[in-house]
Amino acid sequence: MKPAPFDYLRAATVQEAQAALAAEGEGARIIAGGQSLVAMLNMRLARPTLLVDVMHVPGGATMGIERGQLVVPFAVSQAALLQRQDLLSEVPLLAAALPWVGHVQTRARGTVCGSVAHADPSAEIGLALVALDGTVHLRGRRARSLPAAKFFTGMMQTAARPDEIIESVSFPIARKGTGHAFNEVGIRHGDFAIVSIAAISTGDRLRLAVGGVNDAPLVRDWASLDEQDVDDALNDLAWSLDARDDLHATSRYRRDLVRRLGRKTIKEARQCAD
Ligand SMILES: Cc1cc2nc3c(=O)[nH]c(=O)nc-3n(C[C@H](O)[C@H](O)[C@H](O)COP(=O)(O)OP(=O)(O)OC[C@H]3O[C@@H](n4cnc5c(N)ncnc54)[C@H](O)[C@@H]3O)c2cc1C
């Protein structure tokens, strides 16, 4: 099947892209790397009247550090972020999670902001953004910033308005003494995760973020968690999730992955923090 007809605008500036979204209304969509949107167009799951291409806007692919955050604008590909020389020291959780996002080919075109906008519950980048208390910077008629935890509102649902572009997302730079780890289980490497887990360990404090189970990434914090209490804590977490049966896995299998992958990921994060 081929897409329904649409108009195409290659935006020269963010302002031009935003104005086009505002003028066209619900029928307009941003196209970035096209790795999710083009499949949706071909299956006619999306039938936009106008596609606004933001990949040629000058400066859209230039990352930088601002006020202790790594700022990643809308045209930065997942591959470019993964190739960033200092990523491992700046945002180690992203360095661990990005190799799990699709394949070399999809990462070459797929953007970081496009993945966040698409809001797939199994997406690794959104999970890392929520786990790290990152921020989504939106540009509509006015600019506004939202904590990632408030941005994801459901399955492929976000708090972005139809006339807003994600101008950038920002990830806090890692502090010394903090350990990060990421693991996931999928049918094949590069497939969307059945369950993905990010762990962040700082002193006594521990945070776990779970993807692929609820409609949006879920975060759980513990002020302190002794080794002997880890299994009970993970069991509570597993039962608190909205795990469901689907084509890929049963709810029971998903809960079991949360327990097993959770334990492994906590251990790795604590080792990195030492
Ligand atoms: C074979 C294959 C395997 C994949 N595996 C994974 C995986 O394991 N994990 C994973 O997370 N993803 C996976 N993906 C999806 C991939 O990561 C996409 O790149 C990503 O979901 C969307 O990024 P994109 O730049 O391609 O966005 P597009 O496809 O261009 O757009 C996706 C959606 O986001 C909107 N959008 C894009 N950019 C913006 C913006 N700046 N502001 C507002 N809205 C915007 C578009 O309007 C559209 O609705 C896979 C894709 C393929 C084809």
Side-chain angles (χ1 to χ4, degrees):
M1 215 156 149
K2 288 293 160 208
F6 55 82
D7 289 327
Y8 171 86
L9 172 72
R10 178 179 281 198
T13 62
V14 171
Q15 288 73 13
E16 187 188 8
Q18 195 282 318
L21 291 186
E24 189 78 8
E26 297 271 341
R29 290 285 271 274
I30 297 287
I31 182 157
Q35 296 302 294
S36 299
L37 185 55
V38 171
M40 290 168 68
L41 296 179
N42 283 343
M43 290 185 278
R44 301 204 176 189
L45 294 171
R47 298 172 73 115
T49 49
L50 173 67
L51 288 187
V52 181
D53 186 345
V54 289
M55 295 303 279
H56 305 276
V57 174
T62 309
M63 294 175 257
I65 307 281
E66 286 173 27
R67 288 187 228 107
Q69 308 259 328
L70 173 62
V71 181
V72 183
F74 51 88
V76 174
S77 70
Q78 296 147 12
L81 180 57
L82 187 54
Q83 281 158 16
R84 186 177 166 85
Q85 206 177 357
D86 294 327
L87 186 66
L88 187 59
S89 58
E90 289 169 345
V91 192
L93 185 60
L94 267 182
L98 278 169
W100 295 92
V101 181
H103 311 269
V104 170
Q105 295 85 344
T106 62
R107 291 196 295 268
R109 293 205 64 97
T111 62
V112 175
C113 290
S115 173
V116 172
H118 192 57
D120 189 293
S122 291
E124 294 82 0
I125 295 171
L127 183 68
L129 193 65
V130 172
L132 292 167
D133 288 331
T135 308
V136 181
H137 305 281
L138 296 159
R139 168 75 56 178
R141 276 201 299 171
R142 288 197 207 95
R144 64 180 182 129
S145 297
L146 282 179
K150 292 204 167 146
F151 179 75
F152 295 105
T153 54
M155 168 136 1
M156 293 175 167
Q157 302 283 323
T158 73
R161 299 177 189 126
D163 71 335
E164 285 181 319
I165 297 172
I166 299 182
E167 206 167 17
S168 62
V169 290
S170 54
F171 299 86
I173 300 295
R175 298 205 176 145
K176 265 193 138 201
T178 305
H180 301 81
F182 182 92
N183 282 296
E184 75 175 44
V185 167
I187 291 174
R188 295 163 305 187
H189 188 94
D191 286 356
F192 278 100
I194 292 172
V195 169
S196 51
I197 304 233
I200 304 175
S201 166
T202 316
D204 280 350
R205 300 188 67 83
L206 181 70
R207 165 171 283 194
L208 223 58
V210 182
V213 185
N214 284 16
D215 286 348
L218 178 125
V219 167
R220 177 68 55 89
D221 290 300
W222 291 275
S224 67
L225 189 60
D226 293 335
E227 182 56 27
Q228 67 269 21
D229 297 328
V230 167
D231 286 336
D232 283 346
L234 287 171
N235 190 41
D236 284 348
L237 174 62
W239 281 109
S240 74
L241 295 167
D242 188 19
R244 280 165 264 173
D245 297 344
D246 65 18
L247 269 179
H248 306 294
T250 61
S251 52
R252 183 178 173 179
Y253 181 59
R254 285 200 161 87
R255 282 194 297 274
D256 214 34
L257 282 181
V258 170
R259 296 182 194 102
R260 286 162 189 259
L261 216 52
R263 173 164 262 293
K264 173 174 151 82
T265 313
I266 290 171
K267 188 174 171 199
E268 289 173 5
R270 284 182 163 162
Q271 280 168 350
C272 293
D274 292 340

